[in-house]
Amino acid sequence: MKTRKVPLRKCVACQQMMPKKQLIRVVKTPEGEVMIDLTGKKSGRGAYLCGSAACFKLAQKNRSLDRALKSPVQSEIYEQLAKDFAAVEEEFISSRRGSEEDDDEQ
């Protein structure tokens, strides 16, 4: 059986290439709203971050999301993203473990 090609994406903070499923997507919608997209299917300009809080803080410090989303991200939006990121982090880590177990079974 043919092996599937795994899409890789680069974390905007640490610049590490990782499989797309192991990263969290931050999207700027056509309406200009910046949010976390766990499905990876929302329309708009996307940027990827590792699932760690350290990478999010690094992206905030270096303004990496501003460059990746090609527009300035306000400090209020960074604060809201930090809250969302903390809430999503546990869910993301558990879902990633589940997908790794599924890959091991195949």
Side-chain angles (χ1 to χ4, degrees):
M1 193 159 114
K2 212 174 189 182
T3 58
R4 294 185 90 166
K5 184 178 173 186
V6 177
L8 298 175
R9 298 291 183 267
K10 186 184 281 191
C11 173
V12 296
C14 67
Q15 303 297 312
Q16 201 173 20
M17 293 291 286
M18 299 174 83
K20 186 177 173 181
K21 288 185 177 183
Q22 293 182 9
L23 298 169
I24 295 176
R25 184 174 187 244
V26 178
V27 66
K28 179 183 174 228
T29 63
E31 294 81 35
E33 187 179 357
V34 178
M35 64 179 73
I36 292 177
D37 175 22
L38 286 180
T39 64
K41 296 182 180 184
K42 289 184 181 170
S43 64
R45 179 106 185 140
Y48 291 88
L49 285 169
C50 294
S52 69
C55 269
F56 178 77
K57 289 177 184 173
L58 182 63
Q60 184 176 7
K61 178 183 171 194
N62 295 339
R63 310 289 288 174
S64 307
L65 286 176
D66 295 27
R67 286 190 299 278
L69 298 175
K70 294 189 177 179
S71 69
V73 178
Q74 305 298 323
S75 60
E76 302 88 43
I77 295 173
Y78 271 114
E79 289 171 15
Q80 183 60 43
L81 282 175
K83 291 175 189 169
D84 293 347
F85 200 83
V88 165
E89 189 174 18
E90 287 300 318
E91 178 185 336
F92 176 74
I93 290 171
S94 65
S95 69
R96 191 167 71 180
R97 281 190 196 123
S99 67
E100 286 174 358
E101 290 172 3
D102 292 343
D103 290 345
D104 291 343
E105 290 174 4
Q106 292 179 0

